[in-house]
């Protein structure tokens, strides 16, 4: 690519106006963004919708991985990201989440799952993976004809172990978003967390600072949260 001084000047002028709705201003013919905005990517999808890409629809068309195609989102205008499992792409089995800690848990087939229940996925594909514990945790939200429609929740193994109490990424994220929503002068931009064994040894609870150009808020907890507002 060659330098384009005219385009660089255009971008500079738009950037100087701020980044609210920037996508449409620098790409006026942009009509749709294909992206993943579920699970741990939900926060970034919300930032796109409310800040950078206002009024531009986001669409997450596929639930897929290197192992193959798992599901298709056939409801592009719905705000929720639900995927219809594709029975012909691979064989699906489902481990009830309460049995997922077992080494050889019993599994269910697609016609045996229940709406509203949470499962770990097991797949068999044409590439040779046989009854492979995929690691994704999903919730069955409804049936389309007889096929499960699922919502992706989180990956197995992405758990905080706080004094023996295991907390999934999904539970932590929802609690964090709900907490920050109660603070009128704080905006959550990004976050990270670590188990206490990775932090310097301290007595009692750790005081948390939410960092922002605005006045700090502090609460007591064993998890460190940092948020910046630009």
């Amino acid at each position: 690519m060659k330098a384009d001084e005219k385009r660089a000047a255009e971008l500079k002028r738009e950037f100087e106006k701020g980044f609210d709705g920037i996508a449409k201003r620098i790409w006026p013919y942009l009509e749709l963004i294909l992206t993943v905005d579920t699970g741990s990517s939900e926060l970034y999808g919300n930032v796109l919708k409310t800040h950078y890409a206002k009024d531009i629809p986001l669409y997450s068309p596929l639930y897929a991985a290197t192992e193959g195609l798992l599901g298709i989102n056939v409801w592009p205008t719905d705000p929720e990201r639900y995927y219809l499992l594709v029975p012909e792409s691979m064989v699906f089995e489902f481990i009830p989440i309460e049995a997922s800690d077992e080494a050889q848990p019993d599994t269910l087939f697609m016609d045996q799952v229940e709406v509203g229940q949470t499962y770990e996925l097991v797949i068999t594909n044409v590439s040779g993976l046989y009854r492979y514990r995929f690691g994704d945790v999903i919730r069955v939200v409804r049936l389309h004809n007889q096929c499960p429609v699922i919502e992706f929740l989180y990956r197995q193994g992405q758990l905080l172990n706080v004094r023996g109490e295991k907390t999934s990424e999904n539970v932590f994220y929802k609690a964090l978003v709900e907490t920050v929503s109660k603070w009128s002068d704080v905006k959550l931009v990004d976050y990270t967390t670590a188990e206490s064994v990775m932090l310097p040894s301290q007595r009692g609870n750790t005081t948390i600072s939410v960092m922002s150009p605005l006045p700090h808020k502090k609460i007591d907890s064993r998890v460190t949260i940092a948020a910046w507002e630009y």
Side-chain angles (χ1 to χ4, degrees), residues 10 27 121-122 214:
E10 292 174 355
W27 297 306
L121 275 180
V122 178
L214 303 171

Side-chain angles (χ1 to χ4, degrees), residues 11-24:
L11 294 177
K12 182 179 179 181
R13 287 194 297 271
E14 294 301 328
F15 293 163
E16 288 173 347
K17 298 175 185 177
F19 287 86
D20 197 41
I22 186 66
K24 196 69 172 178

